[in-house]
Structure formats: C-alpha cells, structure tokens
Amino acid sequence: MAGGRRSTLVLVAMVVLTLDQTSLQVSAWLGGTVYVRLTNRLEPSKATVTVHCKSGDDDLGDHLVALGETYEFSFKNNIWDSTLFFCNFDWVSGSLGKSVSGTFDIYKARRDQERCLHDCNWLILETGLYSYTLRTKIWENLYSWPQ
C-alpha cells in the first residue's frame, strides 16, 4: 500500500512541475478566448487601412480601419497549439506616395501564447506592424512593409 501511495505522489509531483514550467502555454489553451486587436496609427498619412484576416477555418472578410480605430476579433486556440491567423493590409501612403500592402502572421499559437497570452495587441504604423510583448512590456516591430 505504501508503494502505491508513493507512486501516486511522484506522479502528482511530476504533473505539477510540468504544468508549472509550461503554465503560459497550458493556460492559453485552457483559458479560453484569445483577443486580437489591430489599431491604425498610420501617421502622418492618416490613411484608412483595409484589413483582411483568415485562418485555415475562418475568413473574417475585409474591414476598413480609420486612423485611431481598432479592428478586433476573437477565437479559441486549438488543442494542438497550431492556431494561425494571417492578415493582409492595404493602404495608400500619402508621405510615400504609393500603395502599400503586406500579409503577415498575426497570431501563431506557439509564438503568441507566451508573447501575448490572451490579449494580442498590434499597432499599424508606417514603419511596420508592432506587437506588444507581455514579457518585455515593450512594443516590438515584428514586421516591416515590403519594399
């Protein structure tokens, strides 16, 4: 009987330690809804940007996001940690005098569960797309516009 209890305690301890070391990844899957917010800060051009986001399962359609406005969508991460949303951005730069377009991975489960957990916030700037990282508490330029 003592051997059975010892085995159970060892097993419980191993599970607790494993969950503790991967708590951000586990909590992102178990924690429910993920929110992605894309905020237009295209200054000085003051351009409206067309945003079109998709995953393997969902096509969220075109959304016009004016300067200072935010487009938001939400979803539940899948159990395999393979959820991926990518978005296309189109806008006309007054300061560059040309049309600007780019498609980028906006949510990748394995990258973003630790980086932004349940609230993934992006700024759309003339220099590229910046994402807020919880660990460093800074806005990082993850993508630049194609030349």
Side-chain angles (χ1 to χ4, degrees):
M1 188 87 144
R5 284 187 182 163
R6 175 174 273 175
S7 296
T8 302
L9 286 173
V10 168
L11 180 60
V12 168
M14 288 174 53
V15 168
V16 168
L17 288 173
T18 300
L19 289 176
D20 183 51
Q21 291 176 357
T22 60
S23 61
L24 287 175
Q25 287 80 8
V26 171
S27 65
W29 173 64
L30 294 177
T33 305
V34 175
Y35 297 91
V36 174
R37 294 175 195 90
L38 306 161
T39 301
N40 179 349
R41 299 277 187 215
L42 289 171
E43 295 186 54
S45 70
K46 300 184 184 335
T48 295
V49 62
T50 301
V51 178
H52 190 141
C53 298
K54 296 181 182 183
S55 73
D57 300 319
D58 299 299
D59 185 336
L60 304 180
D62 285 338
H63 297 271
L64 297 176
V65 185
L67 179 67
E69 291 184 354
T70 299
Y71 168 59
E72 177 180 322
F73 63 94
S74 61
F75 56 91
K76 297 205 183 270
N77 202 15
N78 69 35
I79 191 170
W80 301 279
D81 293 333
S82 62
T83 301
L84 170 67
F85 273 91
F86 57 94
C87 299
N88 182 71
F89 300 84
D90 289 306
W91 56 284
V92 176
S93 170
S95 61
L96 297 175
K98 67 176 186 173
S99 181
V100 180
S101 182
T103 301
F104 309 102
D105 292 340
I106 292 301
Y107 182 84
K108 290 171 62 172
R110 290 195 176 109
R111 175 193 71 189
D112 294 330
Q113 285 181 21
E114 184 175 339
R115 193 181 59 73
C116 58
L117 198 55
H118 298 293
D119 291 300
C120 297
N121 295 294
W122 292 83
L123 295 177
I124 306 165
L125 302 174
E126 290 205 10
T127 54
L129 296 176
Y130 290 73
S131 182
Y132 188 76
T133 301
L134 291 172
R135 183 176 32 82
T136 61
K137 298 187 182 347
I138 62 169
W139 291 93
E140 295 181 71
N141 183 351
L142 293 189
Y143 301 113
S144 296
W145 300 110
Q147 298 299 322

